[in-house]
Amino acid sequence: LNIVLKTPTGKSLKTKAVFSGANHAKGLSGVPSFEFGADQAMFFYYSSSGPKSFWMPDTYFDLDIFFLNEKLKILDIERNVPHHPGRAEPPAIARTRVIPCRHVLEMRADSPLAKKLKIGDTLDWVSSPGLEQIKLNTHP
């Protein structure tokens, strides 16, 4: 689902929202840097809050990863998570800390928009269907 999120400063993020385990697992794996711009994001929707951790196999650009609550408030951030082309180790594939949250947002680490986001900021879901409608139609 392609949506738009607005930052607290009113900037738009072209965002791909993913809802299923298979899409969560794939994330941005295999996406070349020229196909994912500095004004883009990937939103990982989860039907419930809990501990979440992300890793970076088969990625081609570093990421800033934002851990959000149910109201899209940023609870924690992991900056400059290193990319890892392929799935072979060593070197080790980067993994985030385990963070309790509801949703997760990924953006390019070199994005000027990502660098302006901080803990405590709240994003605004401005697309249809709205986040509340998606919650009603998603089963845990």
Side-chain angles (χ1 to χ4, degrees), residues 44-107:
F44 295 79
Y45 175 91
Y46 293 93
S47 57
S48 62
S49 296
K52 311 244 182 325
S53 178
F54 278 61
W55 69 319
M56 303 287 291
D58 199 26
T59 53
Y60 298 93
F61 43 91
D62 296 351
L63 290 174
D64 284 354
I65 302 177
F66 303 89
F67 298 86
L68 313 170
N69 72 6
E70 66 281 351
K71 300 203 180 291
L72 307 185
K73 180 179 177 181
I74 299 172
L75 303 173
D76 206 336
I77 304 169
E78 288 241 0
R79 299 240 184 234
N80 304 307
V81 180
H83 68 286
H84 186 99
R87 293 184 173 270
E89 294 184 283
I93 298 171
R95 289 167 170 79
T96 67
R97 293 174 284 124
V98 176
I99 308 291
C101 65
R102 175 70 175 265
H103 308 295
V104 175
L105 186 79
E106 293 183 340
M107 295 179 68

